[in-house]
Amino acid sequence: MRLILIGFGAVGRGFAEILRDKAKDLRAKHDFAASIIGVVTATRGSLYCADGLDIPALLSAAKAGSFASYSASAGLRRGLSGSDMIKLGAADALLELSPTNLKTAQPALETCYRALDAGLHLALANKGPVALHYADLQAQAAARGVQMRCEATVMAGTPTMQLAQEALAGCQITGARGILNGTTNYILTQMESGASYQAALEKAQALGYAEADPSGDVDGWDAAGKLLILANALFGSRLTMSDLQVSGISGISADDIHLAREQNQHYKLVAQASPSGGTVKAQRLPATDPLASVAGTTNAITLETDLLGAVTLIGAGAGSRETGAALLADLLAIHRGACNQAGASA
């Protein structure tokens, strides 16, 4: 499978490391091999080689801060855009890993449509396109006979979408509620240990969990984007941000945390969706709630089903290799689908 990567930040590098480290295992267990033929970035430049880029050299150049240090070789081209690479027709799939824009989803959305129109499979870690245009992207993928998958957009490598859409395929899912943002969960966990909100936020920033401008996390918008993806994927809805009620955790004080603990409760930023809408807000959960004990940067989700009742999944909600693992899982699912289709036609 020949891949174009749009973006090569922490997630892209984590994914590349997985391909480097697990190549033999993937071929032996899954008859799967992948090569990165193109990488496009906003700051490091771009590289393209139809015969495949050297992953160790690619990682080394990225660490140096520029693809200018990547050695010239036969067939190597520099400076191409994502659209240029798609038009060359050598790729099988495009991975959209650029920064998320939850207002317009651009410029990633346009790249996604171009990839699908060219017959490329699509796997995303970028939440914007699927949060705002999930149904349309799926419809175009189906029309072109390719797959669009987005496991990496919700709970990093923890298989939320696969659980809901594949393992629970025989169930009707009537609701979803979860802790979908590791930064806010880390801050609230620190506050339960006695830290003030400001001190907990500063520690989260020092550890790289929170950005210099943490508003996307602490005001609830990151969780809201993930909730839109879940709602529209699980319920076939066409919800938008205007259909959600969103608030964050910045108004929670140490006194609030202390009072909740006295009553055997825990504050969590809970994202909750139904077919008609959703909310993101801080809630006091009783200790018996499966979400209440989820601490640190860990994420969790509870799916309400007609056949199994409540099913709760807990796992990593962030991390470069964790998110890279979700991208790999999507590519393996695409590979299995292609193999099954080839077998059926034979």
Side-chain angles (χ1 to χ4, degrees):
M1 189 179 292
R2 295 162 296 178
L3 311 174
I4 296 171
L5 275 57
I6 307 298
F8 202 66
V11 170
R13 296 193 298 274
F15 171 74
E17 290 170 357
I18 291 171
L19 289 188
R20 177 196 64 193
D21 298 341
K22 295 181 72 67
K24 291 182 180 179
D25 186 57
L26 290 170
R27 185 179 289 277
K29 290 185 176 180
H30 303 283
D31 193 26
F32 176 82
S35 62
I36 299 173
I37 67 169
V39 179
V40 180
T41 74
T43 59
R44 294 182 175 89
S46 69
L47 297 170
Y48 177 89
C49 181
D51 293 330
L53 297 167
D54 181 78
I55 290 179
L58 185 63
L59 290 167
S60 178
K63 185 177 181 179
S66 171
F67 289 155
S69 62
Y70 186 95
S71 298
S73 61
L76 181 69
R77 300 177 66 177
R78 303 178 189 270
L80 298 181
S81 68
S83 296
D84 293 333
M85 294 182 188
I86 291 169
K87 289 177 183 177
L88 289 172
D92 300 303
L94 182 136
L95 276 60
E96 175 44 70
L97 316 177
S98 64
T100 292
N101 176 346
L102 286 174
K103 293 183 179 179
T104 66
Q106 297 292 7
L109 180 63
E110 183 178 352
T111 302
C112 290
Y113 279 126
R114 286 180 177 174
L116 293 174
D117 190 55
L120 274 65
H121 298 290
L122 180 64
L124 299 96
N126 183 338
K127 294 182 288 294
V130 280
L132 304 185
H133 297 275
Y134 181 90
D136 293 335
L137 288 167
Q138 280 287 23
Q140 182 159 341
R144 296 293 297 174
V146 296
Q147 293 191 52
M148 188 279 286
R149 301 183 70 91
C150 55
E151 186 66 71
T153 61
V154 181
M155 289 179 60
T158 303
T160 314
M161 305 297 286
Q162 290 190 46
L163 171 68
Q165 296 178 315
E166 297 173 22
L168 298 177
C171 299
Q172 179 182 359
I173 299 174
T174 57
R177 56 189 290 270
I179 298 168
L180 303 182
N181 180 269
T183 301
T184 52
N185 204 48
Y186 175 83
I187 291 171
L188 292 172
T189 301
Q190 290 295 305
M191 291 178 71
E192 284 196 342
S193 298
S196 67
Y197 170 80
Q198 188 60 37
L201 172 59
E202 290 174 359
K203 188 172 182 180
Q205 290 171 321
L207 292 171
Y209 300 151
E211 302 289 342
D213 176 5
S215 57
D217 291 318
V218 300
D219 292 341
W221 297 110
D222 174 75
K226 296 171 182 175
L227 189 66
L228 276 183
I229 296 168
L230 281 171
N232 292 334
L234 303 189
F235 307 131
S237 305
R238 284 184 173 266
L239 301 180
T240 66
M241 282 292 185
S242 62
D243 296 309
L244 306 181
Q245 299 177 24
V246 181
S247 58
I249 67 166
S250 57
I252 298 175
S253 67
D255 289 342
D256 294 328
I257 296 288
H258 179 70
L259 180 60
R261 290 301 302 270
E262 284 187 337
Q263 299 177 10
N264 201 25
Q265 297 176 329
H266 301 268
Y267 266 102
K268 299 294 177 184
L269 185 69
V270 178
Q272 188 162 354
S274 69
S276 59
T279 62
V280 177
K281 63 180 181 180
Q283 297 182 23
R284 286 169 54 168
L285 303 179
T288 54
D289 190 303
L291 300 182
S293 61
V294 177
T297 58
T298 303
N299 282 190
I301 188 166
T302 297
L303 302 174
E304 297 291 341
T305 74
D306 60 342
L307 299 180
L308 299 176
V311 177
T312 299
L313 178 67
I314 300 173
S320 59
R321 287 178 72 88
E322 291 85 350
T323 308
L327 293 165
L328 176 60
D330 278 346
L331 294 180
L332 289 172
I334 291 168
H335 174 66
R336 288 193 299 272
C339 291
N340 291 340
Q341 185 177 16
S345 62

